[in-house]
Amino acid sequence: MRSLPSYVQLKEVGPRDGLQNEKTWITTEDKVNWINMLSTSGIKEIEYSSFVNPKMIPALSDAREVGKRIIRNPDVTYSALVPNLKGLEYALEAGIDGASVFMSASETHNQKNINKSIQDTYPVLDKVIVEAKQAGKHVTGYISTVFDCPYEGKIAPERVLRVCEKLIDSGVDDLSLGDTIGTAVPTQIEQLLELLLQHYPKEKLILHFHDTRGMAIANIMTAMHYGIYRFDSTIGGLGGCPYAPGAAGNVATNDVLYLLEGLGINTGIDEKKLQEAGVFIQNKLDKTLPSRSLAYLKNA
Ligand SMILES: [Zn+2]
Protein backbone atom coordinates (compact mmCIF):
# COMPACT_ATOMS: atom_id res chain seq x y z
CA MET A 1 0.00 0.00 0.00
CA ARG A 2 1.26 3.45 -0.88
CA SER A 3 0.93 6.49 1.33
CA LEU A 4 -2.02 8.84 1.07
CA PRO A 5 -1.97 11.76 -1.39
CA SER A 6 -1.22 15.20 0.05
CA TYR A 7 -3.81 16.89 -2.16
CA VAL A 8 -7.25 15.72 -3.30
CA GLN A 9 -9.35 17.37 -5.98
CA LEU A 10 -13.10 17.08 -5.64
CA LYS A 11 -15.38 17.64 -8.60
CA GLU A 12 -18.74 18.96 -7.51
CA VAL A 13 -21.34 17.15 -9.61
CA GLY A 14 -24.34 18.26 -7.54
CA PRO A 15 -25.76 20.65 -10.16
CA ARG A 16 -25.84 17.71 -12.61
CA ASP A 17 -25.80 14.26 -10.98
CA GLY A 18 -27.57 15.64 -7.91
CA LEU A 19 -30.33 17.76 -9.40
CA GLN A 20 -31.13 15.40 -12.27
CA ASN A 21 -32.59 13.04 -9.71
CA GLU A 22 -34.42 15.53 -7.51
CA LYS A 23 -38.13 15.93 -8.11
CA THR A 24 -38.36 19.51 -6.92
CA TRP A 25 -37.82 22.02 -9.74
CA ILE A 26 -35.02 24.42 -8.92
CA THR A 27 -35.44 27.66 -10.84
CA THR A 28 -32.73 28.75 -13.24
CA GLU A 29 -32.00 31.74 -11.04
CA ASP A 30 -31.53 29.53 -7.97
CA LYS A 31 -29.29 27.15 -9.91
CA VAL A 32 -27.16 30.07 -11.11
CA ASN A 33 -26.90 31.55 -7.61
CA TRP A 34 -26.03 28.17 -6.15
CA ILE A 35 -23.34 27.43 -8.75
CA ASN A 36 -21.93 30.90 -8.12
CA MET A 37 -21.70 30.04 -4.40
CA LEU A 38 -19.92 26.78 -5.23
CA SER A 39 -17.58 28.70 -7.56
CA THR A 40 -16.25 30.75 -4.65
CA SER A 41 -15.90 27.83 -2.21
CA GLY A 42 -12.49 26.73 -3.46
CA ILE A 43 -13.89 23.81 -5.48
CA LYS A 44 -11.81 23.53 -8.65
CA GLU A 45 -14.24 21.75 -10.93
CA ILE A 46 -18.01 21.97 -11.21
CA GLU A 47 -20.23 19.92 -13.49
CA TYR A 48 -22.92 22.49 -13.97
CA SER A 49 -25.54 20.67 -16.04
CA SER A 50 -26.32 18.09 -18.71
CA PHE A 51 -26.99 18.67 -22.40
CA VAL A 52 -29.06 15.53 -22.86
CA ASN A 53 -32.51 15.78 -24.43
CA PRO A 54 -34.52 17.97 -22.00
CA LYS A 55 -37.42 15.52 -22.26
CA MET A 56 -35.22 12.85 -20.71
CA ILE A 57 -34.14 14.97 -17.77
CA PRO A 58 -36.61 17.82 -17.27
CA ALA A 59 -34.82 18.98 -14.09
CA LEU A 60 -31.88 20.11 -16.24
CA SER A 61 -33.82 21.41 -19.25
CA ASP A 62 -32.36 24.89 -18.66
CA ALA A 63 -28.73 23.82 -19.16
CA ARG A 64 -28.09 26.40 -21.89
CA GLU A 65 -29.53 29.20 -19.80
CA VAL A 66 -27.55 28.16 -16.73
CA GLY A 67 -24.32 27.95 -18.72
CA LYS A 68 -24.80 31.42 -20.11
CA ARG A 69 -25.68 33.04 -16.79
CA ILE A 70 -23.22 31.64 -14.26
CA ILE A 71 -20.35 33.88 -13.25
CA ARG A 72 -17.14 32.13 -14.31
CA ASN A 73 -14.33 31.96 -11.81
CA PRO A 74 -11.11 31.59 -13.84
CA ASP A 75 -9.78 29.16 -11.22
CA VAL A 76 -12.69 26.77 -11.78
CA THR A 77 -13.19 24.27 -14.59
CA TYR A 78 -16.82 24.17 -15.70
CA SER A 79 -17.90 20.95 -17.34
CA ALA A 80 -21.16 19.42 -18.48
CA LEU A 81 -22.52 16.06 -19.56
CA VAL A 82 -22.71 15.74 -23.33
CA PRO A 83 -24.42 12.71 -24.96
CA ASN A 84 -24.05 13.45 -28.68
CA LEU A 85 -23.05 16.07 -31.26
CA LYS A 86 -26.25 18.07 -30.82
CA GLY A 87 -25.61 18.23 -27.08
CA LEU A 88 -22.02 19.28 -27.72
CA GLU A 89 -23.18 22.07 -30.01
CA TYR A 90 -25.44 23.46 -27.28
CA ALA A 91 -22.77 22.98 -24.63
CA LEU A 92 -20.15 24.86 -26.64
CA GLU A 93 -22.62 27.66 -27.21
CA ALA A 94 -23.43 27.85 -23.48
CA GLY A 95 -19.75 27.65 -22.56
CA ILE A 96 -17.84 24.68 -21.19
CA ASP A 97 -14.23 24.02 -20.28
CA GLY A 98 -14.80 20.29 -20.23
CA ALA A 99 -17.18 17.83 -21.83
CA SER A 100 -18.13 14.57 -20.15
CA VAL A 101 -19.29 11.69 -22.31
CA PHE A 102 -20.86 8.66 -20.66
CA MET A 103 -21.66 4.99 -21.06
CA SER A 104 -21.84 1.84 -18.95
CA ALA A 105 -19.56 -1.13 -18.43
CA SER A 106 -22.72 -3.23 -18.16
CA GLU A 107 -24.53 -4.06 -21.38
CA THR A 108 -27.99 -4.00 -19.79
CA HIS A 109 -27.44 -0.74 -17.91
CA ASN A 110 -26.11 0.84 -21.10
CA GLN A 111 -29.23 -0.30 -22.97
CA LYS A 112 -31.57 1.08 -20.29
CA ASN A 113 -29.67 4.32 -19.89
CA ILE A 114 -28.87 5.26 -23.48
CA ASN A 115 -30.93 2.83 -25.55
CA LYS A 116 -27.95 1.38 -27.35
CA SER A 117 -25.64 -1.58 -27.08
CA ILE A 118 -22.11 -0.88 -25.87
CA GLN A 119 -20.79 -1.50 -29.41
CA ASP A 120 -23.24 0.98 -30.92
CA THR A 121 -22.38 3.61 -28.30
CA TYR A 122 -18.68 3.86 -29.18
CA PRO A 123 -19.10 5.54 -32.59
CA VAL A 124 -21.50 8.13 -31.14
CA LEU A 125 -19.10 9.02 -28.35
CA ASP A 126 -16.12 8.93 -30.67
CA LYS A 127 -17.59 11.78 -32.74
CA VAL A 128 -18.28 13.86 -29.63
CA ILE A 129 -14.80 13.24 -28.22
CA VAL A 130 -13.05 14.15 -31.48
CA GLU A 131 -15.10 17.29 -31.97
CA ALA A 132 -14.76 18.42 -28.35
CA LYS A 133 -10.99 17.94 -28.53
CA GLN A 134 -10.89 19.92 -31.78
CA ALA A 135 -12.71 22.71 -29.94
CA GLY A 136 -9.91 22.62 -27.35
CA LYS A 137 -11.96 21.12 -24.54
CA HIS A 138 -10.97 18.68 -21.86
CA VAL A 139 -12.91 15.44 -22.25
CA THR A 140 -13.76 13.02 -19.47
CA GLY A 141 -15.21 9.59 -20.14
CA TYR A 142 -17.69 8.50 -17.50
CA ILE A 143 -18.13 4.76 -17.17
CA SER A 144 -21.13 3.70 -15.09
CA THR A 145 -21.62 0.45 -13.16
CA VAL A 146 -17.92 -0.41 -13.05
CA PHE A 147 -18.37 -2.57 -9.94
CA ASP A 148 -21.99 -3.69 -9.71
CA CYS A 149 -24.95 -3.44 -12.08
CA PRO A 150 -28.56 -3.50 -10.86
CA TYR A 151 -29.41 -5.92 -13.69
CA GLU A 152 -26.26 -7.99 -14.20
CA GLY A 153 -24.68 -8.08 -10.74
CA LYS A 154 -20.89 -8.00 -10.46
CA ILE A 155 -18.96 -6.55 -13.40
CA ALA A 156 -15.55 -8.08 -14.03
CA PRO A 157 -12.65 -5.57 -14.07
CA GLU A 158 -11.66 -6.84 -17.54
CA ARG A 159 -14.97 -5.61 -18.94
CA VAL A 160 -14.29 -2.15 -17.50
CA LEU A 161 -10.79 -2.19 -18.99
CA ARG A 162 -12.22 -2.86 -22.46
CA VAL A 163 -14.43 0.23 -22.23
CA CYS A 164 -11.52 2.29 -20.88
CA GLU A 165 -9.37 1.23 -23.83
CA LYS A 166 -12.01 2.26 -26.37
CA LEU A 167 -12.57 5.66 -24.77
CA ILE A 168 -8.84 6.35 -24.40
CA ASP A 169 -8.37 5.36 -28.07
CA SER A 170 -11.04 7.90 -29.00
CA GLY A 171 -9.09 10.58 -27.16
CA VAL A 172 -10.61 11.16 -23.72
CA ASP A 173 -8.23 12.90 -21.31
CA ASP A 174 -9.35 10.97 -18.27
CA LEU A 175 -11.83 8.38 -17.03
CA SER A 176 -14.40 8.70 -14.25
CA LEU A 177 -15.28 5.28 -12.88
CA GLY A 178 -18.74 5.13 -11.39
CA ASP A 179 -20.14 3.01 -8.59
CA THR A 180 -23.51 4.06 -9.95
CA ILE A 181 -25.62 2.08 -7.48
CA GLY A 182 -23.36 2.62 -4.48
CA THR A 183 -22.93 -1.01 -3.48
CA ALA A 184 -19.20 -1.66 -3.95
CA VAL A 185 -16.91 -2.58 -1.06
CA PRO A 186 -13.16 -1.85 -0.77
CA THR A 187 -11.98 -5.19 -2.18
CA GLN A 188 -13.77 -4.38 -5.44
CA ILE A 189 -11.98 -1.03 -5.60
CA GLU A 190 -8.67 -2.83 -5.06
CA GLN A 191 -9.37 -5.38 -7.81
CA LEU A 192 -10.31 -2.77 -10.40
CA LEU A 193 -7.44 -0.41 -9.55
CA GLU A 194 -4.89 -3.25 -9.51
CA LEU A 195 -5.84 -3.90 -13.13
CA LEU A 196 -6.35 -0.35 -14.44
CA LEU A 197 -3.19 1.06 -12.88
CA GLN A 198 -1.19 -1.45 -14.92
CA HIS A 199 -2.50 0.36 -18.00
CA TYR A 200 -3.03 3.99 -16.98
CA PRO A 201 -1.32 6.44 -14.65
CA LYS A 202 -3.29 7.47 -11.57
CA GLU A 203 -3.66 10.99 -13.02
CA LYS A 204 -6.09 9.60 -15.60
CA LEU A 205 -8.45 7.97 -13.12
CA ILE A 206 -11.28 9.60 -11.18
CA LEU A 207 -13.61 7.68 -8.90
CA HIS A 208 -17.31 8.43 -8.67
CA PHE A 209 -19.07 6.89 -5.69
CA HIS A 210 -22.71 6.79 -4.75
CA ASP A 211 -23.37 6.11 -1.09
CA THR A 212 -26.35 3.75 -1.08
CA ARG A 213 -24.78 1.35 1.42
CA GLY A 214 -22.64 3.88 3.27
CA MET A 215 -19.44 2.40 1.80
CA ALA A 216 -18.28 5.43 -0.19
CA ILE A 217 -15.93 6.84 2.45
CA ALA A 218 -14.28 3.44 2.95
CA ASN A 219 -13.96 3.10 -0.83
CA ILE A 220 -12.41 6.56 -1.20
CA MET A 221 -9.94 5.70 1.54
CA THR A 222 -9.01 2.53 -0.33
CA ALA A 223 -8.61 4.38 -3.64
CA MET A 224 -6.39 7.02 -2.00
CA HIS A 225 -4.04 4.26 -0.87
CA TYR A 226 -3.59 3.52 -4.58
CA GLY A 227 -2.67 7.13 -5.20
CA ILE A 228 -6.05 8.17 -6.64
CA TYR A 229 -6.62 11.83 -5.76
CA ARG A 230 -9.65 12.86 -7.82
CA PHE A 231 -13.20 12.11 -6.77
CA ASP A 232 -16.69 13.19 -7.79
CA SER A 233 -19.15 14.14 -5.06
CA THR A 234 -22.33 16.13 -4.50
CA ILE A 235 -22.88 18.67 -1.83
CA GLY A 236 -25.06 17.26 0.94
CA GLY A 237 -25.18 13.90 -0.87
CA LEU A 238 -27.80 15.03 -3.40
CA GLY A 239 -29.06 12.72 -6.09
CA GLY A 240 -29.69 9.10 -7.12
CA CYS A 241 -29.96 7.36 -10.47
CA PRO A 242 -33.19 7.05 -12.48
CA TYR A 243 -31.92 3.95 -14.32
CA ALA A 244 -30.54 2.20 -11.26
CA PRO A 245 -33.45 1.33 -8.96
CA GLY A 246 -32.81 2.03 -5.29
CA ALA A 247 -29.58 3.95 -5.82
CA ALA A 248 -28.90 6.76 -3.40
CA GLY A 249 -27.13 10.04 -4.06
CA ASN A 250 -23.43 10.60 -4.54
CA VAL A 251 -21.09 10.61 -1.61
CA ALA A 252 -21.52 13.98 0.11
CA THR A 253 -18.83 16.56 -0.61
CA ASN A 254 -19.15 17.69 3.01
CA ASP A 255 -18.47 14.20 4.36
CA VAL A 256 -15.47 13.68 2.09
CA LEU A 257 -14.14 17.06 3.16
CA TYR A 258 -14.53 16.10 6.83
CA LEU A 259 -12.49 12.96 6.16
CA LEU A 260 -9.78 14.76 4.20
CA GLU A 261 -9.40 17.57 6.71
CA GLY A 262 -9.13 15.03 9.51
CA LEU A 263 -6.40 13.22 7.57
CA GLY A 264 -4.56 16.49 6.93
CA ILE A 265 -5.09 16.26 3.15
CA ASN A 266 -5.33 19.57 1.35
CA THR A 267 -8.36 20.32 -0.90
CA GLY A 268 -8.34 24.11 -1.13
CA ILE A 269 -12.02 24.11 -0.15
CA ASP A 270 -13.42 26.56 2.39
CA GLU A 271 -15.62 24.40 4.61
CA LYS A 272 -17.81 27.28 5.74
CA LYS A 273 -18.59 28.39 2.20
CA LEU A 274 -19.30 24.82 1.21
CA GLN A 275 -21.73 24.43 4.12
CA GLU A 276 -23.49 27.64 3.11
CA ALA A 277 -23.94 26.32 -0.41
CA GLY A 278 -25.25 23.05 1.04
CA VAL A 279 -27.77 24.76 3.30
CA PHE A 280 -28.86 26.95 0.36
CA ILE A 281 -29.80 24.01 -1.87
CA GLN A 282 -31.24 22.05 1.05
CA ASN A 283 -33.63 24.91 1.73
CA LYS A 284 -34.58 25.22 -1.94
CA LEU A 285 -35.32 21.49 -2.12
CA ASP A 286 -37.15 21.69 1.20
CA LYS A 287 -35.75 18.40 2.44
CA THR A 288 -32.96 17.17 4.68
CA LEU A 289 -29.98 16.04 2.63
CA PRO A 290 -28.20 12.83 3.69
CA SER A 291 -24.77 14.32 4.48
CA ARG A 292 -23.87 13.69 8.13
CA SER A 293 -21.56 16.69 8.22
CA LEU A 294 -24.20 19.06 6.87
CA ALA A 295 -26.78 17.82 9.38
CA TYR A 296 -24.29 18.17 12.20
CA LEU A 297 -23.59 21.78 11.35
CA LYS A 298 -27.27 22.61 11.00
CA ASN A 299 -28.07 21.27 14.44
CA ALA A 300 -24.99 22.69 16.11
ZN1 LIG B 1 -23.43 9.33 -10.48
Side-chain angles (χ1 to χ4, degrees), residues 13 16-17 142 179-180 208 210 240-241 250:
V13 294
R16 196 279 300 171
D17 207 356
Y142 272 107
D179 180 12
T180 312
H208 178 110
H210 284 250
C241 179
N250 296 68

Side-chain angles (χ1 to χ4, degrees), residues 170-196:
S170 289
V172 299
D173 295 288
D174 44 26
L175 298 156
S176 180
L177 309 163
D179 180 12
T180 312
I181 54 172
T183 53
V185 296
T187 42
Q188 290 173 273
I189 316 311
E190 290 172 9
Q191 284 157 11
L192 185 62
L193 289 177
E194 292 275 358
L195 179 67
L196 296 186

